[in-house]
Amino acid sequence: MSNASEMRFSDAEQMGLSFEEWQLILTRLGRTPNLCELGIFSAMWSEHCSYKSSKKWLKTLPTEGAQVIQGPGENAGVVDIGDGLAAVFKIESHNHPSFIEPYQGAATGVGGILRDVFTMGARPIALLNALRFGDIAHEKTPHLLSGVVAGIGGYGNCIGIPTVGGEVNFHSSYNGNILVNAMAVGLAHSDRIFYSAATGAGNPVIYVGAKTGRDGIHGATMASAEFSDETESKRPTVQVGDPFTGKLLMEACLELMAADAVLSIQDMGAAGLTSSSVEMASKGGLGMEIDLDLVPVREEAMSAYEIMLSESQERMLMVIKPEQAETARAIFEKWDLDFMPIGKVTDTQRLVLLKDAQIACDIPLAPLVDDAPEYDRPYRPEELQPVLSTAQLEKDIPLDEVLKKMLSSADLSSRRWVYEQYDSDVMADTISGPGGNAAMVRIHNTDKGLAVCTDCTPRYVEADPFEGGKQAVCEAYRNISATGAKPLAVTNNLNFGNPEKQDIMAQIVGAVTGMGKACKALDTPVVSGNVSLYNETDGMAIQPCPVIGMIGIIDDWRTTIGAGLQQAGQALYVVGQSDKTNDGWLGCSVYAREIARREGGAPPSVDLEAEAKNGQLVREAIAKGIASSVQDISDGGLLIAMAEMVMAGQCGAKITPPDSGSLHGWAFGEDQARYILAVRDAGEFAALCAGHQIEAVRIGETISKTELTVGDLPPISKEVMVAWHTSPIPALMG
C-alpha cells in the first residue's frame, strides 16, 4: 500500500471500491483521502455494511405491526410479547470467515450475534443456526463441518446460552463457500430497550471490553468479495473470539444498563470501531471526536488505519451519562474489563480522529451513511423450470426401499451428531430443543413460551426465487404453528452470489418479493436481518439461501406439543390433503434428487391463504387439547414426516394409502400447507375442520407397537428406521 499522502484508485480498488465510488469519495471530500479515511469509506460502503445492492428491495419488506417495537435499522429487532416483556432477536452471517477458519469463524459469528442482542438491553436466552456445507462426499466437508460445529458449541456452551435449534444441509454448490448463519434471541423489559443513536454533544464516548488487535482487519470488505484460489491467504482477516471475555462483557453491560447509566450503545461488529462510531454519531444527527491513542490495544505500533478497521471481538462503544462515569468504571473494573473514555460526542456531524497528537481523519458523516451508494442493479430472470409430472420422476422401486434411501440420505438424515455437541439445556428453560419442529423456551415469571426456528429450502429458491422466498417463510410459519405457538415476526439472512450478475440479482429480487408477500399475508413482519452477497468461488455461485428465523408466542408453555406419537388408538389426519394431492408434487423434491437422480423442475406452489388458515386450525387444535402430536410436512413428504413422528414417539402408526394416484407421489410429494396430526377425538377434530372449512383426510391410526406400517407392506420397526436415519453423519465423521 502506498503512503497516506499518495492514495490512488489502485489503493481504493484493493479495498473493494469501484472507480465510480472512488470518484464519488473525491467529489464529496473535495480532496484525496488519506489511508485511514479511505479505509473507513471502503468499510462503510462495503456490501456487508451498506447493503448497496439490496437496499432498494429490502425497503419493500413489511416491517410494521402492532407487535413491533423496533424494526430494521438497529442492532436487533424488538417485538412485544406481553406482560411488559419484549423478544429481541436477529440472525447474521459469518460465511466467508468460517470457510477460511471454521472454528473461529463460527465461534465469532455466535459471539457477534449475542452482542447484537444484549446491546439492546436484552438477556440472551437462545441460540440457533442455519448451516450449509458442500457435498457430503467432498474432501473438505468433514473438516469444515467439524470445525464449524465445534466453534458454535465452543462459544455458546462456554458463555452459557443454550443452542436450541437450527438446520444443516449439504449441496455441491457450497463446496467452495459454506454458509454459517447464527441467530440469537433475548428477553428485555419492553420499556427498557437501549438504542445506538448518540445523544448530547459533550457527552463522553467510552470504549469497553477486550483490547484491540490486528485480527479481522478489513473483515467486512473480505465478506463483500468472491472467493478465489487465494482464499486461504485471507486467514488474517478472520477474527478470534473469547467466550469467557464475551460472558464478562455481557454481564457488565447488562449491569450498567440496569444502573441507568447508558445513553446509547453499539457493538463493534463488522468494521469494528469504524462502524460503531459512524453509526452512533450519524443516527443521532451529531458528530464524534476520538483520540485513538486512548484506545486499549494489545499490539504495538498500531496505526490509525489498523485501529479503526480491526474487528477484534468482545468490544463495545457507548455514550454514558457524565455523572455516572465512576459508577460505570467501577462496574467494568469489577468484571475485569477495559473501560476507557476515548472521546466525546460533538455537534459537528463529522468524524474526527486524533493519533499521535495529529489529525488522522476528519470527514463528514453524511457521505459515509446517508449518501452511501445505492444501486438499482439490472436483473434478468432465467426461464422458470418446467413442471415435472409424477410419471417423469417415479421409479419402480419398493416403497420400503425408497424410505430407507430417503431417511439415510444427506438431505434427510438425523443431525443428532451435530446438535449433541451443543448444550441445549443450560439455563434450564428449554422445553423442547433441537431435532423437532420449532424449539420452545420458557419465559421466567410468566406462563408463556417462546417458539423459535430457522428455515429455508435453497433448491426451491434456485428453481423459482419468488415461490422459494414465499416457501421459506411458510415453512417457518408451519414449524412454529406445529408447537401451538402463534407466529409473531421474522429475521432474515439473505445468502446469494454476485449481485453484479443479472441472474443472481434476479434471484435476490424474486426471493425478497416472495418473502415480503408471505410475511404480509401471515402477519409476520421482518424486524431485523442481514444480507450476505458474493458467495461465489471462481465464479460459481451457491444455491441461493434466504434463511428465515421466526419467533412465536404461546400463552401457556405447558400446552405445547411435539411431533412424537404419544398414545395408541388415536386417529391420524393430514390437514391440507385432498384427492388433488394424491399424485404428490415430486418436482424439485428430495425424492427427485435422491431416487430419480434429477435436480430441478418447478417447486411446489405456495398458497398463502391456505397456509394461514391451516396454521390457525392446527394452533386451535393444540390449544383445545384435540391434537396430541403434530408434524408439518416438508422435505421428503408425508411418509418421511410420518416416520419422524414414529421415531420421536412412544408408539407406532398404521396408515393406508389412497386408492387412486401415485403411491410414491402420495408418500414423498412435497405439496405445501400440510400437517400430520394425531388427534384424541376424531369427531371433535372433524367438527373443528368443518367450522374452519378446511379439508383433512384420515390416513390411519396410532398403534401400540413402535413400528410403521403402510398398507399391506411389512411393518418397519422404529429401531430399524432410527438406524437408517442416524448413521450417515457419524459415518462421515468417522
Side-chain angles (χ1 to χ4, degrees):
M1 181 70 70
S2 59
N3 294 328
S5 60
E6 301 174 332
M7 292 293 102
R8 299 185 296 266
F9 169 60
S10 59
D11 303 309
E13 191 174 31
Q14 287 181 41
M15 297 185 191
L17 292 164
S18 69
F19 182 74
E20 292 75 14
E21 289 166 346
W22 165 249
Q23 291 293 320
L24 194 57
I25 292 169
L26 297 181
T27 299
R28 291 181 180 174
L29 286 185
R31 60 177 173 82
T32 302
N34 63 34
L35 174 61
C36 181
E37 292 168 336
L38 183 60
I40 289 170
F41 268 101
S42 73
M44 293 306 300
W45 285 12
S46 69
E47 196 73 59
H48 194 73
C49 291
S50 74
Y51 298 155
K52 56 192 175 186
S53 296
S54 56
K55 272 189 291 192
K56 170 183 169 65
W57 299 100
L58 296 178
K59 292 174 184 177
T60 67
L61 292 170
T63 58
E64 297 179 349
Q67 68 273 47
V68 177
I69 295 174
Q70 174 64 52
E74 271 294 338
N75 287 291
V78 187
V79 175
D80 192 339
I81 57 173
D83 295 319
L85 295 173
V88 180
F89 66 109
K90 188 182 184 182
I91 191 169
E92 276 205 343
S93 61
H94 233 222
N95 302 336
H96 286 44
S98 298
F99 183 80
I100 297 168
E101 175 38 67
Y103 184 94
Q104 290 296 349
T108 51
V110 173
I113 200 64
L114 285 171
R115 291 194 301 277
D116 282 337
V117 166
F118 71 73
T119 298
M120 303 292 291
R123 177 168 290 280
I125 61 167
L127 287 164
L128 300 92
N129 51 69
L131 312 177
R132 299 294 187 278
F133 296 96
D135 192 304
I136 199 167
H138 191 271
E139 60 182 4
K140 283 191 174 182
T141 297
H143 162 69
L144 293 169
L145 176 61
S146 62
V148 166
V149 170
I152 291 171
Y155 204 103
N157 297 353
C158 289
I159 203 170
I161 310 296
T163 300
V164 299
E167 53 175 353
V168 182
N169 287 111
F170 302 90
H171 190 272
S172 59
S173 69
Y174 306 110
N175 284 350
N177 196 130
I178 64 174
L179 303 184
V180 176
N181 296 174
M183 177 176 169
V185 185
L187 289 178
H189 292 286
S190 54
D191 61 350
R192 294 286 293 164
I193 306 300
F194 289 81
Y195 299 97
S196 58
T199 57
N203 282 334
V205 175
I206 311 295
Y207 173 116
V208 299
K211 289 179 168 57
T212 296
R214 290 187 170 93
D215 54 316
I217 292 175
H218 265 304
T221 305
M222 181 269 289
S224 306
E226 293 182 33
F227 275 164
S228 67
D229 293 336
E230 286 77 44
T231 295
E232 293 298 321
S233 68
K234 296 183 178 181
R235 184 167 280 111
T237 61
V238 178
Q239 309 91 331
V240 177
D242 179 356
F244 300 105
T245 301
K247 170 68 172 175
L248 299 177
L249 181 62
M250 178 176 71
E251 298 299 341
C253 286
L254 292 175
E255 184 175 340
L256 187 63
M257 291 167 174
D260 198 29
V262 176
L263 292 172
S264 50
I265 183 168
Q266 176 72 40
D267 164 43
M268 290 192 214
L273 187 52
T274 287
S275 63
S276 54
S277 58
V278 169
E279 289 175 11
M280 290 179 77
S282 63
K283 286 178 182 177
L286 295 165
M288 196 169 285
E289 181 179 304
I290 294 174
D291 186 344
L292 297 179
D293 290 326
L294 299 176
V295 172
V297 295
R298 63 170 185 263
E299 299 183 50
E300 294 182 0
M302 289 188 69
S303 67
Y305 171 87
E306 291 172 325
I307 292 171
M308 290 303 292
L309 274 298
S310 167
E311 293 185 11
S312 294
Q313 297 291 286
E314 289 82 44
R315 303 178 302 156
M316 311 285 274
L317 197 66
M318 58 178 67
V319 177
I320 64 171
K321 297 177 180 178
E323 66 273 16
Q324 292 277 44
E326 290 312 307
T327 298
R329 183 185 297 277
I331 289 172
F332 277 84
E333 285 180 352
K334 181 184 79 172
W335 291 101
D336 197 25
L337 293 167
D338 279 305
F339 176 92
M340 179 59 69
I342 62 170
K344 63 183 179 181
V345 179
T346 68
D347 59 5
T348 63
Q349 298 184 340
R350 301 181 73 85
L351 178 67
V352 177
L353 305 175
L354 305 176
K355 186 75 170 72
D356 301 326
Q358 296 182 352
I359 294 178
C361 167
D362 184 357
I363 51 180
L365 289 165
L368 287 171
V369 181
D370 301 333
D371 298 335
E374 178 177 336
Y375 295 126
D376 184 5
R377 295 198 185 278
Y379 59 95
R380 183 184 65 252
E382 294 183 347
E383 288 187 21
L384 293 180
Q385 299 195 29
V387 174
L388 301 178
S389 68
T390 303
Q392 289 176 277
L393 295 169
E394 189 171 26
K395 298 298 180 183
D396 186 18
I397 303 174
L399 195 71
D400 53 353
E401 186 177 330
V402 175
L403 180 61
K404 177 181 179 179
K405 288 184 177 181
M406 296 273 279
L407 284 176
S408 59
S409 68
D411 290 284
L412 301 177
S413 62
S414 170
R415 275 44 175 160
R416 182 181 297 172
W417 181 92
V418 172
Y419 62 71
E420 281 187 341
Q421 298 184 54
Y422 307 147
D423 189 338
S424 59
D425 294 317
V426 64
M427 298 179 75
D429 286 323
T430 304
I431 305 304
S432 56
N437 291 307
M440 179 73 69
V441 180
R442 177 177 55 193
I443 299 174
H444 274 305
N445 302 318
T446 76
D447 293 328
K448 296 178 185 289
L450 202 63
V452 291
C453 70
T454 59
D455 281 295
C456 184
T457 310
R459 64 181 183 278
Y460 290 174
V461 185
E462 184 177 50
D464 186 332
F466 178 71
E467 289 296 320
K470 286 163 59 180
Q471 192 274 342
V473 176
C474 292
E475 184 168 344
Y477 179 88
R478 290 197 300 272
N479 277 319
I480 298 288
S481 295
T483 69
K486 175 179 171 55
L488 282 180
V490 158
T491 181
N492 57 27
N493 207 139
L494 310 180
N495 306 277
F496 291 89
N498 183 347
E500 297 167 49
K501 298 178 180 178
Q502 293 195 25
D503 58 331
I504 301 297
M505 196 64 218
Q507 291 177 349
I508 298 169
V509 173
V512 171
T513 304
M515 188 181 297
K517 188 168 184 178
C519 287
K520 186 173 183 180
L522 301 176
D523 189 25
T524 54
V526 179
V527 298
S528 61
N530 173 243
V531 178
S532 174
L533 305 183
Y534 295 94
N535 287 290
E536 300 197 2
T537 301
D538 294 327
M540 298 297 292
I542 60 163
Q543 267 193 338
C545 188
V547 174
I548 292 292
M550 187 177 285
I551 69 165
I553 193 75
I554 191 167
D555 290 334
D556 186 348
W557 61 266
R558 289 171 288 262
T559 65
T560 188
I561 63 174
L565 300 176
Q566 299 300 313
Q567 186 177 352
Q570 296 186 346
L572 292 167
Y573 282 87
V574 181
V575 170
Q577 186 83 5
S578 70
D579 290 341
K580 297 177 183 176
T581 50
N582 283 347
D583 273 339
W585 193 288
L586 290 180
C588 209
S589 68
V590 176
Y591 178 98
R593 182 182 179 193
E594 295 294 335
I595 306 302
R597 297 296 177 187
R598 179 167 179 176
E599 296 206 36
S605 60
V606 177
D607 183 334
L608 294 175
E609 183 180 355
E611 293 282 4
K613 288 176 59 178
N614 294 356
Q616 183 179 354
L617 171 74
V618 167
R619 296 193 299 272
E620 193 172 331
I622 294 170
K624 291 183 174 180
I626 298 171
S628 63
S629 54
V630 176
Q631 174 77 312
D632 78 298
I633 299 176
S634 55
D635 283 355
L638 184 154
L639 195 57
I640 296 298
M642 194 72 257
E644 289 170 344
M645 296 179 80
V646 173
M647 288 189 289
Q650 307 301 316
C651 60
K654 180 175 176 59
I655 60 176
T656 304
D659 295 330
S660 61
S662 155
L663 180 60
H664 285 195
W666 170 82
F668 303 110
E670 296 182 6
D671 306 79
Q672 301 293 294
R674 295 185 300 158
Y675 304 78
I676 302 176
L677 286 76
V679 303
R680 296 183 173 94
D681 188 314
E684 194 175 357
F685 180 67
L688 182 66
C689 291
H692 283 269
Q693 297 183 316
I694 290 175
E695 287 186 286
V697 173
R698 182 165 179 165
I699 61 168
E701 58 280 330
T702 59
I703 58 176
S704 58
K705 290 186 177 181
T706 53
E707 60 188 25
L708 175 62
T709 300
V710 183
D712 297 328
L713 294 174
I716 307 170
S717 72
K718 173 181 175 177
E719 291 74 19
V720 167
M721 289 191 293
V722 168
W724 294 342
H725 194 47
T726 57
S727 59
I729 293 182
L732 169 72
M733 304 309 296

